Amino acid sequence: MTNHETGRSVATTIDTANAERAGAVVGYLPAGFPDLQTSVDAAVALAENGVDVIELGLPYSDPVMDGPVIQRAAEESLANGFRVAQVFDAVDQITNRVDVPVLVMTYWNPVLRYGVDRFADDLVSAGASGLITPDLIPDEGRAWIDASERTGLDRVFLAAPSSTDARMEQAVHSSRGFVYAVSTMGVTGARVGVDTAARTVVSRLRAAGVERTCVGLGISTADQVREVLEYADGAIIGSAFVRALADLGVQGVADRAADLTGGAARG
């Protein structure tokens, strides 16, 4: 593995995207789907077609927040023998090919099993910028907060429509990079209309003092990207890219990214 410096700053990347365009686009793909090399090539295609930050998913056997498209991809990756340690190889390859921040999105149990400090150190060695932890709340995340302070890694916590004001404030004060605003109750997946609850979540995060927040769950068109960037700092796209990869391969991901990131252009 290449000996990287700490990964590129997510905050700086989002700030630059907001200064130069309507905002940032974060693109999600699962590591190891349909195989490790193709997942790397697909992530690189995202970056080469306008995606500002890559969210690389660590396949997990019990993905409580993921919709059917991402669940199927994770299941296929695991069935093909994907192992946790391979996510670091994927990050290393991606960061050697494109100059974009890579955040690993993972449920907390695999990090605990691997060892929190070891996981953080291997993220740094691979060139990752940090972690998105959908099922970890800040007041249960002391081990990760300590490890990320030690290593300088970003930590992205979630805020949902159901979050109390206290939980919103926790997410704001504990996150580094951005806060992930979940736009709907339930699981991920492209929706016809991004839930208007997203605006409420973002406004509550702003009231709690958030510097940067990106909206995810359900964004699948350039118009939805444009709409989200009217009030948020970034739009997170997942299922639309995973479906493109499953149906049309790496070129399909490239074409979809070029289309969707057009929603971040200033009108």
Side-chain angles (χ1 to χ4, degrees):
M1 212 181 284
T2 309
N3 189 17
H4 294 270
E5 298 295 319
T6 303
R8 198 168 156 206
S9 167
V10 171
T12 301
T13 300
I14 291 173
D15 290 348
T16 300
N18 277 271
E20 296 178 353
R21 305 191 309 282
V25 176
V26 180
Y28 169 92
L29 285 171
F33 174 74
D35 56 71
L36 190 66
Q37 192 56 55
T38 304
S39 69
V40 168
D41 293 343
V44 169
L46 290 180
E48 290 177 339
N49 288 277
V51 168
D52 300 288
V53 178
I54 292 169
E55 179 186 342
L56 191 67
L58 182 65
Y60 185 49
S61 56
D62 186 25
V64 293
M65 201 183 99
D66 296 325
V69 172
I70 292 173
Q71 279 191 27
R72 279 194 298 271
E75 287 165 4
E76 184 171 332
S77 178
L78 292 168
N80 290 338
F82 183 87
R83 296 293 175 263
V84 169
Q86 290 179 290
V87 78
F88 306 111
D89 182 32
V91 172
D92 184 56
Q93 290 190 54
I94 294 163
T95 55
N96 276 313
R97 288 172 60 182
V98 288
D99 185 24
V100 301
V102 179
L103 291 166
V104 171
M105 195 287 276
T106 180
Y107 293 94
W108 190 236
N109 197 39
V111 181
L112 275 180
R113 287 204 308 262
Y114 193 85
V116 178
D117 282 305
R118 179 184 171 213
F119 201 101
D121 290 338
D122 287 354
L123 280 174
V124 171
S125 295
S129 295
L131 279 185
I132 299 171
T133 49
D135 63 339
L136 183 70
I137 56 175
D139 55 6
E140 295 175 1
R142 175 47 56 191
W144 166 232
I145 289 171
D146 289 346
S148 55
E149 283 301 311
R150 176 178 62 81
T151 53
L153 289 163
D154 284 335
R155 50 181 183 262
V156 177
F157 292 105
L158 273 65
S162 59
S163 298
T164 63
D165 289 345
R167 187 60 54 77
M168 289 270 185
E169 289 178 7
Q170 269 190 335
V172 169
H173 296 311
S174 301
S175 292
R176 184 163 57 201
F178 65 91
V179 175
Y180 190 131
V182 179
S183 67
T184 56
M185 300 299 291
V187 299
T188 60
R191 290 176 173 80
V192 174
V194 175
D195 198 321
T196 53
R199 289 182 185 268
T200 304
V201 174
V202 170
S203 66
R204 290 177 66 202
L205 286 168
R206 299 277 188 223
V210 77
E211 289 186 61
R212 298 167 201 87
T213 181
C214 301
V215 170
L217 303 187
I219 299 169
S220 60
T221 69
D223 282 344
Q224 287 174 341
V225 171
R226 196 170 294 114
E227 178 186 325
V228 164
L229 293 180
E230 289 173 4
Y231 59 90
D233 305 294
I236 302 169
I237 302 163
S239 295
F241 289 144
V242 180
R243 186 178 286 108
L245 179 57
D247 294 347
L248 300 166
V250 173
Q251 187 58 52
V253 172
D255 293 343
R256 199 84 168 92
D259 171 45
L260 291 175
T261 57
R266 283 227 167 92

